[in-house]
Amino acid sequence: MSTTNHIGKPTSRVDGPAKVTGAARYSAEYNVPGLTYGWVVSSPIAKGKITRVHADEVLALPGVLQVFSHENVPSLAWFDRSYKDDVAPGGSPFRPLHDNEVKFSQQPVALVVAESLEVARYAASLLRLEYEEDKHETDLETKRDEGFEPGRGKTGWMPPPPPRGNPDKAWEEAPHRMEAEYVHGAQHHNPMELFATTAEYHADGKITAYDKTQGVYNVQQYLTKIFGLKKDDCRVVNEYMGGGFGAGLRPQYQVFLAVLAALELKRSVRVTLTRQQMFSFGHRPHTLQYLKLGTNADGTLAALQHHALHETSQFEDYTENVVNWSGMLYQCDNVKLGYQLAKLDVYTPLDMRAPGAATGSIGLEIAMDEMAYAAGLDPLEFRLRNYAEQDQNLKKPFSSKKLRDCYHQGAARFGWEKRTQAPRSMRDDAGKLIGWGIGGGVWDATQQKSAAKASITADGHLTVSSAAGENGTGTYTIMTQIAAETLGLPIEAVTFKLGDTDLPEAPVQGGSWTAASVGTAVKNTCEALGEKLLKLAQKMEGSPLKGAKLEDVEFVNGQIRLRTDASQAVVLRDVLQASGETKVEADSSAMPDMLKQQPYSMHSHNVVFAEVKVDEELGTVHVTRVVNAVAAGHILNLKTARSQVLGSMVWGISAALMEETVMDHKFGRYMNHNYAEYHVPVNADIHDLDVLFVEEEDDIVNPLGVKGIGEVGLLGVAAAIANAVYHATGKRVRDLPIMIDKLL
Ligand code: MOS
């Protein structure tokens, strides 16, 4: 029996105690000596020029150190490409305080630095800037005919595959048809933690940036290129994050401003954005989707067409995969997918949890529901009849796909067979309308190059590290589990460190790839360390492991022992002590096995069953039950994985019923840029959420068989709720969120 099999167990967060006791430090909590404070001044206009900065007026205030604006920013990197980061889309990145041009409302136009936060804030409130306003355009509706196909996208973006079959003719001739437009408003990331950077200035001119980011190496490369710093002189740290959701994939302007000020003033500087300013650096784009589906008499899809148009900024072409999924989730031989951008005077959109797929699955899955009704089919039965056995976009089989089991197990858990198809046909005892709906989706299972190092000390404690990120997802915990299991140690004997450019390089924490990428690197590294430990064990006097190869032994219960005879073992701690070494170290990295993976399509899938109750008189919708069945390979930790999916489900409820950033086009400004008016669910909105994992065996995706669950759980949640609302009320809402006015 092994006490050291940790992978798959619902291990509690190893970082939990640090978080609840306050020992965990967030970016704005590093109280370095001599700290000064920067306060950002944001543009009130959406487009135009700054004609004057009355810096002298606030520089006279006691405690004010400097006012940074385009007028006095020192010479920095000259070229746009220096401002590019790992996840930058095509175009010319925003360069804060670069010139007098205003490109979007709330653009940072100045930074006031003072000895105290209070003085900085007060001085910023007094700073007068004069502007010459230009006419702006922020309404996507005006750009319907100006969409263009992006040439080059950011990492992971794929242009839609070319059409297959004869999608127009097939649609025209299909016995059952639907066509409709779906509208998705802009959404902003609203993690609890504000974006913040504490830039520590060291006496030797080096900088340590404690920055809220999902990628410390990405920020380091950005800063070194812009400020001409050597890597050794610019360390970036992020040990804890109060939520990221993609907002921290790109370096945000607070890190630029904090480091700029620190280098200029030769002082440590902290810049924390306000909640309002959190609405000024990227968002899930406002997206219009048009879908046309046709179905044959036997309930198979005859044609599928999906076109999307979304906003981008004037200076970058932000891309995400909105429509591609529609070519692979269901079997259909006649498919046409289109994808266009339109330029507006807004900041560049930004990856937000399941970028593209979250939006696309709303369009596709509501359309599938409409199609099922038009064809007289139960929405689950309709999906089962159109199950994709292979990825028709790539013409490849899936490395694994247990979506069918998700459909069956999820339906059983939910009790779907008790559903009656007709809208308005189900009510509860109190007379409220009941609606049941389905949604779902597909997400990439990818692996990125990652490195790690491991070190075990004479007391038997293992420390493993990699510059990965933890934005609350469970990275610390799953990496600890992988390391502990690989070397047969208890969880308590392992420390995992992350989020620091002094550690081996890891990719930005996004795309649901961290478990697969960094997890594999951690596994490889611990195996390399195990090999060293075996060699040392074999040098021990009377070692029972003499002559054994690595594959002949296992690391279990703090021992190295023969697989064939568990009694032939040595205790790891004894190995270290006998060796006389104070510690043994190893490092390694991991890359995807391209050759093995090339023939396959690798994806995670899910299906969501939702119940709503609608009060007809008030138009209120309550999401009373949701079952989310997820097939995402091997689940490393049932507890943190479930929490990930629960969080997604809460967000799906939010997207369906509450969440939207409202732009006043007269000002070109997001008006509800605060927690009071940007609605997200509270405890009272959340009822019975149930997560079900269908495990998949998959040794093609990566040696751990994991696909990642950060994003897949969000897919189809909002659509399932919208479909449930239709089932309850007979009203088809195609413009989310479904607020009361749309139902009355
Ligand atoms: Mo996620 S949007 O890739 O942080």
Side-chain angles (χ1 to χ4, degrees):
M1 270 298 287
S2 165
T3 56
T4 51
N5 283 345
H6 306 294
I7 295 176
K9 300 272 165 65
T11 308
S12 291
R13 285 173 186 280
V14 297
D15 49 332
K19 283 187 159 180
V20 297
T21 57
R25 280 187 300 176
Y26 295 79
S27 300
E29 296 183 331
Y30 289 83
N31 292 321
V32 300
L35 189 60
T36 68
Y37 300 83
W39 196 273
V40 176
V41 178
S42 310
S43 167
I45 66 164
K47 191 177 179 182
K49 287 188 171 30
I50 306 161
T51 52
R52 250 192 107 175
V53 184
H54 295 274
D56 46 332
E57 293 174 4
V58 303
L59 281 168
L61 291 173
V64 173
L65 296 167
Q66 184 56 289
V67 175
F68 292 99
S69 72
H70 68 278
E71 291 186 346
N72 63 346
V73 157
S75 170
L76 301 169
W78 288 8
F79 303 110
D80 280 350
R81 65 170 182 268
S82 301
Y83 290 76
K84 287 232 189 250
D85 59 88
D86 278 348
V87 276
S92 159
F94 173 60
R95 297 163 67 165
L97 312 186
H98 178 61
D99 55 24
N100 70 344
E101 242 189 280
V102 176
K103 295 172 174 170
F104 55 97
S105 182
Q106 282 203 300
Q107 174 177 319
V109 288
L111 181 80
V112 179
V113 185
E115 294 284 359
S116 75
L117 180 73
E118 291 75 13
V119 170
R121 180 177 56 191
Y122 177 61
S125 77
L126 298 180
L127 181 66
R128 287 193 304 130
L129 287 100
E130 290 175 35
Y131 301 88
E132 194 181 287
E133 218 173 326
D134 284 344
K135 199 174 145 4
H136 61 262
E137 186 52 77
T138 51
D139 188 358
L140 186 62
E141 290 293 339
T142 67
K143 298 279 175 173
R144 281 180 178 272
D145 301 325
E146 291 173 44
F148 64 94
E149 275 149 29
R152 200 175 59 78
K154 66 179 165 55
T155 316
W157 178 72
M158 306 265 281
R164 60 178 180 253
N166 197 336
D168 289 323
K169 185 162 172 281
W171 187 78
E172 293 294 339
E173 291 172 358
H176 308 290
R177 295 190 296 181
M178 64 72 59
E179 63 181 310
E181 183 177 80
Y182 303 89
V183 180
H184 190 297
Q187 296 175 343
H188 278 81
H189 309 76
N190 268 286
M192 289 284 278
E193 186 199 9
L194 299 166
F195 271 71
T197 305
T198 303
E200 182 177 16
Y201 185 84
H202 302 278
D204 54 5
K206 294 184 181 184
I207 289 281
T208 302
Y210 301 96
D211 179 40
K212 171 156 182 166
T213 175
Q214 291 169 240
V216 287
Y217 270 92
N218 195 28
V219 170
Q220 186 196 45
Q221 83 157 287
Y222 176 82
L223 294 174
T224 50
K225 285 189 297 184
I226 293 168
F227 295 103
L229 295 165
K230 292 199 199 75
K231 279 194 170 182
D232 286 344
D233 297 348
C234 179
R235 178 179 167 211
V236 180
V237 177
N238 181 291
E239 295 179 288
Y240 293 96
M241 187 180 269
F245 313 115
L249 290 174
R250 299 189 71 183
Q252 296 292 14
Y253 62 78
Q254 88 286 339
V255 71
F256 171 95
L257 295 174
V259 171
L260 170 89
L263 290 170
E264 283 301 292
L265 299 172
K266 303 195 189 316
R267 294 280 301 269
S268 295
V269 181
R270 173 178 300 155
V271 177
T272 307
L273 300 188
T274 62
R275 180 58 58 184
Q276 283 82 356
Q277 288 165 347
M278 297 279 286
F279 288 72
S280 63
F281 56 60
H283 53 282
R284 200 195 286 287
H286 182 189
T287 305
L288 307 174
Q289 300 180 66
Y290 203 84
L291 277 115
K292 291 165 83 166
L293 304 185
T295 295
N296 299 312
D298 64 356
T300 56
L301 274 170
L304 187 157
Q305 302 187 23
H306 188 173
H307 183 269
L309 169 73
H310 73 67
E311 61 181 336
T312 190
S313 64
Q314 299 290 358
F315 45 95
E316 284 175 310
D317 290 347
Y318 170 80
T319 53
E320 56 184 31
N321 298 321
V322 180
V323 297
N324 304 24
W325 320 101
S326 296
M328 63 188 296
L329 186 52
Y330 301 108
Q331 167 72 31
C332 185
D333 296 333
N334 301 293
V335 173
K336 186 163 77 179
L337 305 171
Y339 176 70
Q340 291 187 317
L341 309 181
K343 288 190 173 290
L344 292 174
D345 297 307
V346 295
Y347 190 69
T348 310
L350 179 64
D351 286 318
M352 184 191 277
R353 200 169 198 173
T359 313
S361 73
I362 289 173
L364 176 65
E365 291 293 271
I366 300 178
M368 282 294 285
D369 201 66
E370 298 203 41
M371 189 69 255
Y373 272 93
L377 283 166
D378 170 272
L380 175 61
E381 174 59 25
F382 182 47
R383 284 166 173 79
L384 286 166
R385 284 198 201 175
N386 291 288
Y387 195 79
E389 297 290 355
Q390 67 152 345
D391 176 349
Q392 286 185 289
N393 283 354
L394 297 176
K395 298 180 180 63
K396 288 178 182 181
F398 293 101
S399 61
S400 58
K401 179 183 173 183
K402 289 213 169 167
L403 178 59
R404 201 191 302 276
D405 302 76
C406 290
Y407 286 139
H408 291 307
Q409 292 182 30
R413 183 77 67 91
F414 187 82
W416 185 260
E417 81 283 354
K418 293 197 201 78
R419 181 181 185 269
T420 49
Q421 171 86 349
R424 306 178 61 84
S425 62
M426 291 169 69
R427 282 185 194 263
D428 72 0
D429 294 341
K432 279 190 183 165
L433 290 165
I434 294 177
W436 289 1
I438 289 194
V442 49
W443 185 252
D444 302 313
T446 56
Q447 185 188 343
Q448 312 284 327
K449 184 176 184 235
S450 305
K453 70 179 176 197
S455 161
I456 190 164
T457 44
D459 59 359
H461 196 89
L462 173 70
T463 302
V464 184
S465 60
S466 173
E470 161 75 90
N471 59 20
T473 46
T475 311
Y476 276 113
T477 313
I478 58 170
M479 297 309 158
T480 302
Q481 289 173 271
I482 294 166
E485 176 159 329
T486 308
L487 285 173
L489 296 168
I491 292 287
E492 304 72 47
V494 180
T495 303
F496 184 72
K497 290 184 177 169
L498 54 69
D500 188 333
T501 50
D502 280 354
L503 304 176
E505 188 160 354
V508 294
Q509 189 215 21
S512 298
W513 60 52
T514 298
S517 310
V518 182
T520 306
V522 165
K523 184 175 191 286
N524 290 353
T525 302
C526 290
E527 281 169 356
L529 184 61
E531 198 167 352
K532 288 187 177 180
L533 292 169
L534 173 62
K535 286 198 178 119
L536 291 174
Q538 288 169 334
K539 286 187 192 152
M540 289 165 75
E541 222 179 277
S543 173
L545 305 177
K546 283 210 163 71
K549 297 198 179 66
L550 191 61
E551 53 272 25
D552 302 331
V553 302
E554 54 189 1
F555 292 78
V556 178
N557 300 345
Q559 302 174 331
I560 315 177
R561 68 190 192 192
L562 285 182
R563 285 183 190 276
T564 48
D565 180 358
S567 71
Q568 299 301 304
V570 293
V571 174
L572 264 184
R573 249 197 309 241
D574 296 344
V575 175
L576 278 142
Q577 260 140 35
S579 75
E581 308 276 352
T582 53
K583 63 177 174 185
V584 184
E585 294 177 305
D587 49 57
S588 187
S589 60
M591 294 261 278
D593 187 340
M594 298 291 197
L595 222 58
K596 192 172 179 182
Q597 294 177 348
Q598 204 282 326
Y600 297 95
S601 167
M602 300 175 297
H603 288 90
S604 54
H605 293 84
N606 79 324
V607 60
V608 179
F609 298 84
E611 176 182 87
V612 299
K613 289 192 178 177
V614 181
D615 184 317
E616 274 193 280
E617 270 143 37
L618 297 174
T620 49
V621 179
H622 289 101
V623 180
T624 44
R625 284 195 301 136
V626 186
V627 172
N628 198 340
V630 179
H634 186 37
I635 300 302
L636 293 172
N637 181 326
L638 273 174
K639 198 170 187 174
T640 54
R642 180 172 172 275
S643 294
Q644 278 292 284
V645 177
L646 286 177
S648 275
M649 291 160 83
V650 172
W651 203 338
I653 292 170
S654 191
L657 303 179
M658 298 170 197
E659 197 169 341
E660 182 177 30
T661 331
V662 181
M663 173 78 87
D664 184 334
H665 296 298
K666 191 167 155 225
F667 301 104
R669 191 172 179 87
Y670 297 114
M671 300 310 280
N672 57 339
H673 56 334
N674 54 64
Y675 265 173
E677 291 159 297
Y678 187 87
H679 291 178
V680 293
V682 296
N683 283 348
D685 297 308
I686 302 305
H687 299 281
D688 183 0
L689 304 185
D690 197 354
V691 181
L692 191 157
F693 290 109
V694 177
E695 288 258 337
E696 294 169 321
E697 297 274 319
D698 193 331
D699 64 355
I700 292 157
V701 277
N702 52 67
L704 291 162
V706 300
K707 292 180 176 175
I709 28 76
E711 335 227 24
V712 66
L714 178 58
L715 306 178
V717 180
I721 293 165
N723 294 338
V725 167
Y726 171 75
H727 183 228
T729 65
K731 280 190 183 152
R732 183 63 77 179
V733 182
R734 303 184 180 92
D735 176 1
L736 304 191
I738 305 170
M739 295 197 192
I740 289 171
D741 58 311
K742 293 176 190 168
L743 290 182
L744 284 178

